Amino acid sequence: MSFELPKLPYGYKDLEPHIDAQTMEIHHNKHHNGYVTNLNNAIKGTPFEGKSIEEIVSHAKELPPAVRNNGGGHYNHSLFWSVMKPGGGGAPTGDVATAINAAFGSFDAFKEKFSAAAATRFGSGWAWLCASEGKLNVCSTPNQDNPLMKGLVECAGTPILGLDVWEHAYYLKYQNKRPDYVSAWWNVINWDEVNKRLKAVK
Ligand code: MN3
């Protein structure tokens, strides 16, 4: 069975004005779709054909670069679409709120740390909120790497929230102003999904 491009749970224009429709369409239908196609080609006929995306990326160290890049691309974008929603944002709720306060002191302190990780990632990459043994931490990875890639990244744990800071994620609307994109993104976070993902880690 091959991987497929997941359907977005909302329309391309539904995250406006924070993320514009054209960016969403190109990002999902061209970029993510490309990772899916290239991943399927890269694992065809290998023992990893038919394995879950989580299993594939956790073995990225032993696999060819095409699997690391495109498997990461597929996993990362699938997570990214799911942790956003129209009318999202605001303060976190539930267990995530409690865990954020425990790890960072306050939501504002967490936001500052996460935004700094996103802003200072040189070139293309991702900022992450990860859960490891019930504790949260913030980190960033280059390219399409992610915290599940054991032995390849400095991040630890399972990502429960991720932000794409590749230029393709924001350049049409924000050009070189990555920090403006990052601050707008806080208005579309789907905290219910982040809570769901935290629960699944525990
Ligand atoms: Mn992207």
Side-chain angles (χ1 to χ4, degrees):
M1 221 186 77
S2 305
F3 290 108
E4 284 176 11
L5 181 67
K7 272 210 167 81
L8 286 187
Y10 38 78
Y12 289 132
K13 64 174 178 10
D14 293 351
L15 300 181
E16 289 192 346
H18 309 294
I19 304 181
D20 63 284
Q22 193 186 10
T23 295
M24 285 299 295
E25 180 164 8
I26 296 169
H27 200 175
H28 176 257
N29 203 32
K30 304 289 183 201
H31 289 276
H32 189 173
N33 199 36
Y35 298 126
V36 171
T37 303
N38 293 334
L39 172 64
N40 285 332
N41 290 335
I43 59 171
K44 204 172 187 176
T46 76
F48 284 88
E49 198 174 359
K51 299 280 199 252
S52 73
I53 188 61
E54 289 81 2
E55 180 156 13
I56 290 172
V57 295
S58 70
H59 287 274
K61 197 177 177 192
E62 307 133 52
L63 295 167
V67 178
R68 176 178 181 173
N69 294 331
N70 295 293
H74 178 44
Y75 176 87
N76 297 351
H77 288 85
S78 301
L79 182 149
F80 185 52
W81 311 132
S82 79
V83 296
M84 300 190 288
K85 69 171 186 182
T93 52
D95 289 351
V96 168
T98 310
I100 282 177
N101 288 335
F104 308 103
S106 68
F107 177 52
D108 283 345
F110 158 68
K111 254 176 99 167
E112 200 174 306
K113 193 166 183 193
F114 189 99
S115 299
T120 57
R121 164 51 54 194
F122 185 76
S124 299
W126 291 75
W128 303 102
L129 174 64
C130 296
S132 179
E133 290 164 6
K135 281 193 158 179
L136 302 187
N137 64 86
V138 161
C139 64
S140 79
T141 54
N143 306 313
Q144 295 296 355
D145 286 355
N146 68 49
L148 297 179
M149 294 180 174
K150 287 188 252 22
L152 292 173
V153 295
E154 289 173 20
C155 293
T158 304
I160 60 170
L161 177 66
L163 173 60
D164 188 343
V165 295
W166 283 55
E167 284 187 345
H168 69 223
Y170 62 87
Y171 207 85
L172 292 179
K173 183 176 169 78
Y174 296 98
Q175 293 84 46
N176 60 320
K177 300 185 285 286
R178 186 192 288 181
D180 291 1
Y181 156 70
V182 174
S183 47
W185 175 74
W186 293 103
N187 296 306
V188 296
I189 296 180
N190 180 350
W191 289 114
D192 291 339
E193 175 66 20
V194 183
N195 263 302
K196 216 170 94 188
R197 286 176 179 270
L198 176 61
K199 208 169 187 179
V201 177
K202 281 178 175 168

